């Protein structure tokens, strides 16, 4: 070394620092890279992405190669700087201490912290570029890596630990993690698309009971009714199909296409018998059926409307394919008028008058509240459960910090309720 000029030594130091920095930036970028995006790029035929995936699929060999190379370079760098210091200033403890401190400072600044920050900030392009060098290095250093990994594997077995590659579930994304990723992808995914994807997760926890039209709000045709009343009901009906029953709503005899009935009206041939002739068989849905499952059943059975029944076969409500789709994409602008299409919102005085039969989930969504929805599904049911009795009008109660005043009752049903906006009402309402 005495025969080599100083500039050669300094060049060697710079080269070793760059090599150490390369191993550091490569390790950080490869570990920080978005594996789902790199798989997408590989599926598009990007060669660099394929090399990165090949390296990540052998994480133990990759990390062993990087760490071996980094430590060898750092050891060589320390030895070189120490030799240069001894040659220039002599062999004493002070010189060795200063040389050690100087090389440690240079490694930390130029070969560790700075490269790792850069690698973490731009993992994808750096990892792809580094893969061109690391791929042959992993192959060349394979014999040495095997020896090192033998000791590492033995230590892991001794500690009863598994390598990351031994458990593919560790690399999978859970539904909660995927939901968080969608929520944080504000710039990459349009708000409406993001809302639909989040609604998909919510559907997993819902059943037909959560979104069905309650029995008392089902528009149905009573065959035992007055013929003139039947005709008026058909001509003012807002639906394409309507359930038909005899005497009692629980005795559903079929579903009527309103268009067919209207053609009978125009021909003046509408009667109880002619209506029965054009009825189609009703489709019944067991109460508690998961919503996503019911959507599949609608598809398999080529149905669009189902009557929800309890364990005794009594009608609980009505659900349509449109109701399920609206849970995904939001409410449509068309449809029959009613509580769900009334544009429920807070008035200027921070109050809202709500129909007692309105679903709690709908109230929470439109008014930004957090009323409990794991029990009764309508506001009427929630109030009855809370008060444990059928109250009179002008009775007030507070549920989940929401003051409520019962304005009108009818028989066993609470018809209208005034809600007052709580001081800490939710502000971010879903679209």
């Amino acid at each position: 070394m005495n025969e080599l000029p100083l500039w050669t030594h300094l060049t060697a130091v710079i080269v070793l620092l760059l090599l150490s920095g390369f191993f550091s930036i490569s390790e950080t970028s490869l570990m920080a890279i978005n594996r789902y995006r790199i798989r997408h790029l590989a599926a598009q035929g990007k060669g660099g992405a394929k090399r990165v995936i090949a390296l990540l699929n052998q994480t133990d060999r990759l990390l062993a190669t990087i760490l071996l190379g980094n430590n060898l370079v750092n050891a060589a760098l320390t030895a070189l700087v120490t030799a240069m210091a001894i040659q220039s200033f002599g062999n004493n403890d002070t010189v060795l201490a200063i040389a050690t401190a100087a090389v440690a400072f240079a490694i930390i600044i130029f070969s560790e912290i700075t490269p790792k920050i850069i690698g973490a900030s731009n993992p994808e392009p750096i990892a792809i570029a580094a893969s061109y060098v690391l791929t042959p290095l992993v192959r060349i250093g394979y014999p040495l890596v095997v020896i090192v990994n033998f000791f590492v594997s033995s230590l892991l077995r001794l500690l009863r630990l598994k390598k990351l590659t031994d458990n593919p579930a560790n690399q999978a994304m859970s539904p909660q993690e995927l939901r968080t990723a969608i929520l944080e992808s504000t710039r990459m995914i349009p708000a409406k698309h993001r809302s639909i994807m989040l609604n998909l997760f919510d559907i997993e926890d819902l059943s037909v009971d959560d979104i069905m039209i309650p029995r008392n709000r089902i528009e149905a045709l009573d065959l035992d009714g007055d013929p003139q009343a039947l005709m008026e009901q058909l001509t003012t009906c807002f639906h394409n199909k309507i359930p038909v029953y005899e005497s009692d709503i629980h005795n559903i005899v079929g579903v009527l296409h309103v268009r067919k009935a209207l053609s009978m009206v125009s021909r003046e041939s509408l009667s109880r018998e002619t209506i029965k002739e054009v009825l189609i068989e009703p489709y019944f849905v067991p109460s508690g059926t998961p919503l996503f499952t019911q959507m599949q059943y609608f598809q398999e059975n080529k149905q669009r409307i189902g009557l929800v029944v309890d364990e005794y076969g009594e009608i609980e409500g009505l659900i349509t394919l449109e109701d399920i789709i609206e849970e995904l994409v939001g409410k449509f602008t068309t449809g029959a008028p009613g509580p769900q299409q009334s544009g429920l919102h807070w008035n200027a005085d921070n109050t809202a008058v709500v129909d007692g039969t309105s679903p709690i989930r709908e109230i929470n969504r439109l008014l930004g509240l957090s009323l409990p929805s794991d029990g009764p599904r309508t506001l009427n049911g929630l109030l009855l459960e809370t008060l444990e009795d059928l109250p009179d009008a002008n009775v007030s109660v507070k549920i989940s910090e929401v003051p409520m005043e019962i304005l009108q009752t009818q028989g066993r049903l609470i018809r209208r309720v005034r809600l007052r906006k709580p001081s800490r009402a939710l502000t971010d309402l879903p679209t």
Side-chain angles (χ1 to χ4, degrees):
M1 285 188 60
N2 295 335
E3 300 176 355
L4 297 176
L6 180 61
W7 67 268
T8 305
H9 294 165
L10 293 177
T11 302
V13 169
I14 294 173
V15 170
L16 290 174
L17 283 173
L18 291 175
L19 285 174
S20 179
F22 166 77
F23 286 116
S24 296
I25 198 173
S26 300
E27 177 187 5
T28 303
S29 62
L30 284 165
M31 295 301 105
I33 198 169
N34 187 326
R35 300 198 178 199
Y36 297 96
R37 172 164 174 76
I38 206 67
R39 286 173 186 162
H40 171 69
L41 294 176
Q44 292 182 332
K46 305 292 184 181
K50 293 180 180 179
R51 275 187 292 273
V52 171
I53 291 178
L55 290 172
L56 293 176
N57 286 338
Q58 45 184 351
T59 309
D60 50 353
R61 290 177 58 182
L62 172 64
L63 290 178
T65 301
I66 291 175
L67 293 176
L68 280 172
N70 203 8
N71 282 283
L72 289 175
V73 169
N74 289 342
L77 181 61
T78 304
L80 177 60
V81 172
T82 302
M84 290 172 57
I86 293 174
Q87 177 184 347
S88 302
F89 304 103
N91 187 3
N92 60 70
D93 293 340
T94 303
V95 170
L96 293 177
I98 294 174
T100 301
V103 72
F105 179 81
I107 289 174
I108 291 173
I109 299 299
F110 299 107
S111 300
E112 290 293 335
I113 297 178
T114 303
K116 288 186 175 181
I117 291 176
I118 297 173
S121 302
N122 304 278
E124 184 181 308
I126 294 174
I128 292 176
S131 66
Y132 289 92
V133 179
L134 290 175
T135 299
L137 279 181
V138 170
R139 294 174 183 169
I140 295 171
Y142 179 70
L144 184 59
V145 168
V146 169
I147 298 174
V148 172
N149 281 342
F150 170 76
F151 290 101
V152 172
S153 299
S154 301
L155 180 59
L156 290 176
R157 283 195 297 270
L158 184 63
L159 297 175
R160 296 182 179 180
L161 298 176
K162 291 183 178 180
K163 294 183 291 185
L164 179 63
T165 52
D166 291 340
N167 189 2
N170 290 336
Q171 301 184 34
M173 189 176 282
S174 68
Q176 293 77 14
E177 292 168 339
L178 184 55
R179 185 187 182 97
T180 302
I182 293 173
L183 285 170
E184 294 179 350
S185 60
T186 53
R187 294 190 222 172
M188 295 178 286
I189 303 178
K192 188 61 179 179
H193 298 177
R194 191 167 62 251
S195 175
I196 292 174
M197 287 188 283
L198 292 174
N199 289 340
L200 277 172
F201 292 103
D202 295 334
I203 277 186
E204 290 292 333
D205 301 323
L206 299 179
S207 69
V208 293
D209 306 70
D210 293 303
I211 69 168
M212 69 179 183
I213 300 170
R215 179 177 60 241
N216 63 319
R217 283 173 47 198
I218 296 177
E219 184 176 8
L221 197 68
D222 183 5
L223 283 181
D224 293 336
D226 180 70
Q228 185 62 32
L230 292 179
M231 186 177 300
E232 291 179 2
Q233 183 177 357
L234 287 171
T235 54
T236 58
C237 181
F238 289 95
H239 306 284
N240 294 326
K241 295 179 180 179
I242 182 171
V244 178
Y245 65 93
E246 290 181 328
S247 302
D248 187 83
I249 186 66
H250 299 293
N251 185 28
I252 298 291
V253 294
V255 176
L256 176 66
H257 279 277
V258 176
R259 286 184 180 179
K260 294 181 179 179
L262 291 178
S263 66
M264 296 178 191
V265 173
S266 63
R267 298 195 306 265
E268 298 183 355
S269 60
L270 182 67
S271 66
R272 177 188 176 111
E273 290 70 23
T274 55
I275 290 178
K276 278 191 172 183
E277 291 176 1
V278 295
L279 291 181
I280 60 176
E281 186 177 351
Y283 175 63
F284 296 103
V285 176
S287 176
T289 302
L291 204 56
F292 192 78
T293 303
Q294 184 55 48
M295 184 167 62
Q296 292 177 304
Y297 288 161
F298 273 141
Q299 184 179 25
E300 294 170 1
N301 295 296
K302 295 181 172 54
Q303 298 284 347
R304 299 177 64 89
I305 180 174
L307 294 157
V308 182
V309 295
D310 61 14
E311 58 183 317
Y312 303 106
E314 295 190 347
I315 302 297
E316 290 289 312
L318 181 144
I319 186 171
T320 67
L321 181 60
E322 182 183 272
D323 295 329
I324 301 178
I325 295 175
E326 285 181 345
E327 284 295 314
L328 291 175
V329 302
K331 292 294 180 184
F332 297 138
T333 56
T334 58
Q340 294 187 9
Q341 285 79 30
S342 59
L344 187 62
H345 61 277
W346 293 113
N347 298 321
D349 59 352
N350 288 331
T351 64
V353 178
V354 184
D355 191 291
T357 60
S358 298
I360 294 176
R361 293 184 63 255
E362 192 75 16
I363 297 173
N364 286 339
R365 176 182 298 174
L366 296 177
L367 298 183
L369 301 176
S370 55
L371 298 174
S373 58
D374 53 350
R377 293 179 169 83
T378 64
L379 182 59
N380 175 73
L382 179 63
L383 286 168
L384 293 179
E385 181 184 68
T386 303
L387 298 173
E388 298 182 348
D389 192 10
L390 182 63
D392 296 325
N394 301 321
V395 172
S396 298
V397 66
K398 180 182 283 188
I399 302 176
S400 296
E401 302 301 321
V402 181
M404 304 181 186
E405 180 185 359
I406 299 173
L407 301 178
Q408 179 185 357
T409 61
Q410 182 180 359
R412 294 175 296 174
L413 184 67
I414 299 174
R415 297 300 305 177
R416 295 169 68 239
V417 181
R418 179 186 287 119
L419 307 184
R420 186 167 296 277
K421 189 175 184 179
S423 56
R424 295 185 179 181
L426 302 177
T427 56
D428 297 328
L429 302 182
T431 56

